Amino acid sequence: CVVIHDGETVFEYYDTGISPDLPHLLMSVSKSLTATLIGVLVEQGLVATDAHATSYIPSLIGTSWDGCTVQHLLDMRGGVAFTEHDMDDPESDGVLLEQVSGYTARTRSDLPANTYDWIRALPNQQPHGGPFVYRSILIDVLGWIAEEVTGERFADLFSRLVWGRIGPEHNADLIVDSAGFPVVEGGF
């Protein structure tokens, strides 16, 4: 934890095993960073929040993603079946997503080969635009949209439009799966 006031560090604390020079995983803070990039792309006119995800990712046409808008993704109101409320459950989609992305070792041989395949195969659980349900996979679709609309790898795009503009002291790292899919929901 670092507190900066008027450009000066006024408080700094590192828990056991963490030091100022040790990179650490931001986990779900990554979602906010991804949403920030989407906001830049909206401002640039490359993404419209009322557009369907399938208009940016044609390979999702005819899947559970039909009818899901960018705004649904941003608001976590996409209706796909993805459960992660119990990360202690080894069968939780959140735990399995960590395995598909390569963040943790696979415990099952029947998992999708990569995040692209998983996203394409997800069924619907409820209509898009329904109530908020925390589903990390929705943010990964936003990352995929960012790559599709710009033709750039997410890491390069994020570096150019967000990270490089805030004046960080260090480069950021981002987990990618075996197919190069950027794990933008928790991999910064």
Side-chain angles (χ1 to χ4, degrees):
C1 172
V2 177
V3 177
I4 298 174
H5 179 69
D6 290 332
E8 300 292 324
T9 301
V10 295
F11 178 79
E12 198 165 351
Y13 171 79
Y14 300 94
D15 205 357
T16 305
I18 299 176
S19 68
D21 297 322
L22 182 67
H24 64 281
L25 196 60
L26 296 180
M27 300 301 288
S28 288
V29 172
S30 302
K31 292 172 179 62
S32 297
L33 297 175
T34 300
T36 299
L37 175 61
I38 294 299
V40 172
L41 297 177
V42 167
E43 178 66 26
Q44 291 180 347
L46 296 172
V47 173
T49 57
D50 61 348
H52 290 158
T54 54
S55 68
Y56 299 115
I57 308 171
S59 66
L60 295 181
I61 294 171
T63 70
S64 64
W65 299 95
D66 282 334
C68 184
T69 68
V70 171
Q71 193 65 56
H72 294 150
L73 299 171
L74 288 164
D75 293 342
M76 287 203 176
R77 294 175 58 228
V80 296
F82 190 88
T83 304
E84 60 186 306
H85 62 274
D86 183 2
M87 292 297 284
D88 291 327
D89 176 359
E91 296 301 308
S92 162
D93 289 327
V95 170
L96 298 176
L97 180 59
E98 289 179 352
Q99 294 176 28
V100 170
S101 69
Y103 177 60
T104 60
R106 287 179 180 244
T107 60
R108 291 177 27 187
S109 60
D110 64 334
L111 294 175
N114 56 60
T115 311
Y116 294 109
D117 290 348
W118 189 338
I119 289 169
R120 286 185 193 104
L122 285 171
N124 266 26
Q125 180 175 340
Q126 65 190 47
H128 299 299
F132 167 92
V133 178
Y134 192 88
R135 293 181 174 103
S136 291
I137 200 76
L138 302 176
I139 306 307
D140 285 324
V141 175
L142 288 171
W144 191 355
I145 288 171
E147 288 190 334
E148 289 291 319
V149 301
T150 63
E152 288 185 65
R153 291 178 337 134
F154 185 94
D156 296 333
L157 183 63
F158 184 80
S159 177
R160 182 171 60 79
L161 295 179
V162 179
W163 195 253
R165 292 183 175 197
I166 63 172
E169 185 176 344
H170 300 285
N171 291 333
D173 293 313
L174 179 63
I175 295 171
V176 294
D177 74 9
S178 62
F181 191 95
V183 183
V184 300
E185 99 292 317
F188 277 93

